[in-house]
Amino acid sequence: MSTVIYPSPIFGPIHSRRLGISLGVNLLPSDGKFCSFDCIYCECGFNADRKPTRPLPTREEGKTALEKQLEIMVNDKQLPDVITFAGNGEPSMHPDFLGIVKDTVALRNKHCPKAKVAVLSNSTKIHKQSVHDALLLVDDNILKLDTVDLQYINTVNRPTGKYDLQEIIEDMKSFNGHIIIQTMFMKGTFKGIDVDNTGDKYVLPWLKAVKEIKPQQVMIYTIDRETPDHDLKKATHQELDKIVDMLKAEGLSATASY
């Protein structure tokens, strides 16, 4: 069972495979998960096993903690490459998400103007105007789209509420290219069900949707840390490279993290 639960409201810096030196912003409780997905590959574990008891950090707590950490990093001459909203679930579920993003952009401009501000989101809240507005303010609006197969989504991502795939795709299009698609490719089984999404059955329809969304970049990756279900397996370098080549053949910028 995975036991990675991040401090709140600030954690790191950590070295990210995709983003470099990343200072994490966790808008979620520090003792459990708060997420609109319950992914079988989540490094924080299953939602039912990680129910939080502490409250969400306030906007002011986040602002104060971030500025303090940035001042330390400035003094140490070790600035972050990116300030990343991530942590113990879905960051855009915080009711003050827009205000906190505005605070973060202002603090970045003050202390480390060369750093990017990024959000890692599962895309379930992008229909909300305040979330959409917040994501337009960040440099890297990284939104999850693991597949366009609803059965796979219900087996692997396991949304905890309403999930309208077509609505999400249309909302992704509404960013007009200010979006990075992030997709997990993996293999193995979950409760005896094959969850390999590296083959054409899943890749080709996903690729068609990605082309319609027209993102600035596509980040594909595979399992790197412990997962709550131990029957899951990494996709191979060759499988990820093949998908990257397919994306590039369609004129899309793409990278793979192994």
Side-chain angles (χ1 to χ4, degrees), residues 39-59:
C39 296
I40 64 174
Y41 57 75
C42 181
E43 66 185 6
C44 296
F46 294 128
N47 292 3
D49 299 323
R50 297 289 184 269
K51 292 181 179 179
T53 60
R54 297 174 186 169
L56 300 174
T58 66
R59 176 178 177 178

Side-chain angles (χ1 to χ4, degrees), residues 67-251:
E67 181 146 42
K68 180 179 179 180
Q69 183 60 40
L70 288 176
E71 287 173 345
I72 290 171
M73 296 180 77
V74 168
N75 289 335
D76 291 343
K77 294 182 171 59
Q78 188 181 18
L79 298 179
D81 297 311
V82 61
I83 301 169
T84 308
F85 287 85
N88 302 333
E90 174 51 42
S92 66
M93 292 176 71
H94 195 291
D96 285 330
F97 182 63
L98 175 57
I100 294 170
V101 168
K102 289 179 178 179
D103 292 342
T104 300
V105 171
L107 289 173
R108 181 277 308 272
N109 293 345
K110 176 181 177 181
H111 294 288
C112 50
K114 293 183 179 179
K116 290 184 175 183
V117 175
V119 174
L120 300 178
S121 170
N122 64 23
S123 311
T124 56
K125 302 300 177 183
I126 60 175
H127 64 281
K128 295 180 62 176
Q129 189 61 51
S130 62
V131 173
H132 189 277
D133 291 346
L135 294 175
L136 286 174
L137 296 177
V138 304
D139 301 287
D140 289 346
N141 170 30
I142 304 173
L143 300 182
K144 174 170 291 299
L145 186 66
D146 283 344
T147 180
V148 293
D149 185 291
L150 271 175
Q151 183 175 349
Y152 189 92
I153 290 168
N154 288 328
T155 300
V156 172
N157 298 128
R158 306 196 299 173
T160 61
K162 175 190 172 185
Y163 186 87
D164 187 324
L165 176 62
Q166 195 53 48
E167 180 182 273
I168 284 174
I169 290 173
E170 292 302 315
D171 287 337
M172 286 180 166
K173 293 178 185 178
S174 73
F175 286 102
N176 296 317
H178 183 69
I179 173 177
I180 297 172
I181 295 292
Q182 176 184 250
T183 301
M184 164 69 81
F185 287 101
M186 64 181 184
K187 305 171 78 169
T189 61
F190 176 65
K191 296 183 178 179
I193 300 171
D194 185 2
V195 293
D196 184 345
N197 65 333
T198 62
D200 287 350
K201 173 185 175 181
Y202 294 105
V203 173
L204 294 180
W206 167 84
L207 179 59
K208 181 176 183 292
V210 171
K211 286 166 57 181
E212 293 174 357
I213 295 165
K214 299 178 181 177
Q216 67 193 63
Q217 187 181 353
V218 182
M219 294 178 173
I220 69 171
Y221 67 122
T222 192
I223 295 167
D224 183 49
R225 300 185 178 100
E226 184 183 6
T227 59
D229 187 278
H230 293 163
D231 292 327
L232 307 180
K233 300 177 181 178
K234 294 170 69 77
T236 67
H237 286 214
Q238 293 80 5
E239 287 163 335
L240 294 184
D241 288 343
K242 178 183 177 182
I243 296 169
V244 166
D245 288 343
M246 294 170 71
L247 289 161
K248 290 182 176 179
E250 298 293 342

